[in-house]
Amino acid sequence: MAPKGKLIIIGGAINTGSFTETEFGLPQNMNFFERGILKRITIESLKNTESRFEIITTASLIPEKVGEEYIKAFAQLDVHNVGVLNISNREQANDAGNCARIKAADAVIFTGGDQLRLSSIFGGTSFHDILLDKYQNEAVVISGTSAGAAASSKNMIYQGSSKDALLKGEVKITGGLGFIDGVIVDTHFVQRGRIGRLLYAAASNPGILGIGLGEDTGLYISEGHTMEAIGSGMVILVDGRHMTDTNLTDVEMGQPVSINNMVVHVMCDGDVYDLTTHALTIHHPKTVATQ
């Protein structure tokens, strides 16, 4: 059964990690809002600007600052019913009060930071179970930025340098929060040159589609399989289903890996990819004639 919830995953805002570990001011990052990603989250939520939003700052090292910036950002969109939950341990993730807030939420946003904090703190808790149930059975919007996006899938990359990604054993993968299966997500993809991480992930499990989200770019996923690119940048898809050969199991740890026939797609704003049919539909905007 297709989930009733909607998933919006975002690669991160330009030069800031999308409200994570750097100091910045809102005016320098207005492109993140002007391109409509936060507005799209609002529109897709059940009650639009009247929806109850919960911002989960668990992944961040500066949760108070991150929470404040999201509240300011939503205020720009005339959204004021916004709460911040800085859950820092598993006890808080099982707390009845925190769980009640999630049950009442129309939209939940996981911020950037360290995705391993998200999986290790929330995995298997009451908080996590409620979110999984809401996503399947209610018209909730679940969104994640940067680490929040990386943790959204069942399989999650949590470590691995960009330059050494195609050395055997460099890329580390563990379980994520599991809102979507059959994909693995990497973020800050273009700016940090992470194509090697997805190539390795797809080579090690060719049945999983690699998704690389650029900065100020996201995917709006409905019915669990229809993925629409949103924002100003690019989404890179790495499809290993047609891979014909790799030496991954033959080389020693730390040695480079060979891959034959890996398929790569590039998506931009308005393009749609269907996870069921594996078909990409490219949006061709009408050009304005010049005189």
Side-chain angles (χ1 to χ4, degrees):
M1 183 182 295
K4 294 182 180 179
K6 304 168 185 178
L7 187 63
I8 299 178
I9 52 177
I10 308 159
I14 296 172
N15 295 328
T16 70
S18 192
F19 312 137
T20 52
E21 316 312 330
T22 54
E23 292 295 325
F24 66 100
L26 190 61
Q28 286 73 42
N29 296 273
M30 282 306 295
N31 188 46
F32 184 67
F33 315 115
E34 290 170 349
R35 295 298 299 189
I37 295 179
L38 286 190
K39 186 175 182 179
R40 183 65 178 270
I41 294 172
T42 304
I43 291 171
E44 296 296 341
S45 66
L46 189 61
K47 302 168 189 170
N48 205 303
T49 58
E50 300 301 315
S51 291
R52 174 61 181 180
F53 289 80
E54 292 287 0
I55 313 301
I56 314 301
T57 58
T58 301
S60 178
L61 294 178
I62 50 171
E64 294 83 6
K65 177 65 174 176
V66 169
E68 290 172 4
E69 293 298 336
Y70 268 94
I71 290 173
K72 291 177 184 177
F74 274 111
Q76 301 290 317
L77 300 173
D78 199 29
V79 177
H80 303 286
N81 192 5
V82 181
V84 177
L85 277 171
N86 178 29
I87 294 174
S88 58
N89 56 58
R90 293 179 63 81
E91 181 180 0
Q92 293 174 351
N94 285 306
D95 176 76
N98 290 334
C99 290
R101 285 178 59 171
I102 287 302
K103 285 182 180 180
D106 299 303
V108 178
I109 300 177
F110 290 89
T111 71
D114 180 358
Q115 55 262 43
L116 199 56
R117 283 181 56 80
L118 295 176
S119 59
S120 62
I121 289 175
F122 289 116
T125 63
S126 298
F127 189 101
H128 188 207
D129 290 342
I130 290 167
L131 270 181
L132 289 171
D133 182 72
K134 281 177 72 74
Y135 182 63
Q136 286 296 320
N137 299 300
E138 300 179 26
V140 67
V141 174
I142 296 178
S143 181
T145 298
S146 189
S152 65
S153 53
K154 186 174 181 180
N155 296 280
M156 177 185 81
I157 295 173
Y158 72 93
Q159 186 177 318
S161 72
S162 299
K163 67 182 182 68
D164 297 326
L166 284 171
L167 302 182
K168 183 176 179 178
E170 176 65 24
V171 176
K172 305 297 192 298
I173 299 173
T174 189
L177 297 179
F179 300 117
I180 186 169
D181 198 3
V183 304
I184 192 163
V185 180
D186 210 350
T187 59
H188 302 288
F189 194 73
V190 177
Q191 188 184 55
R192 300 184 187 178
R194 287 178 168 173
I195 183 67
R197 301 205 325 178
L198 276 193
L199 289 172
Y200 187 92
S204 63
N205 191 343
I208 293 178
L209 180 74
I211 299 174
L213 299 172
E215 292 73 15
D216 191 37
T217 306
L219 281 176
Y220 164 60
I221 305 171
S222 57
E223 299 181 337
H225 67 90
T226 302
M227 307 195 306
E228 176 193 346
I230 56 178
S232 63
M234 294 177 290
V235 179
I236 311 297
L237 304 181
V238 176
D239 185 354
R241 292 176 305 121
H242 304 292
M243 183 180 69
T244 56
D245 196 13
T246 179
N247 63 355
L248 179 61
T249 59
D250 304 314
V251 299
E252 299 292 330
M253 295 294 287
Q255 294 299 304
V257 173
S258 301
I259 304 169
N260 188 24
N261 206 46
M262 190 72 73
V263 176
V264 176
H265 305 286
V266 180
M267 298 177 67
C268 297
D269 190 46
D271 295 346
V272 175
Y273 186 88
D274 192 311
L275 284 170
T276 303
T277 63
H278 298 283
L280 172 62
T281 302
I282 293 179
H283 172 61
H284 293 271
K286 293 182 180 179
T287 56
V288 179
T290 57
Q291 296 182 351

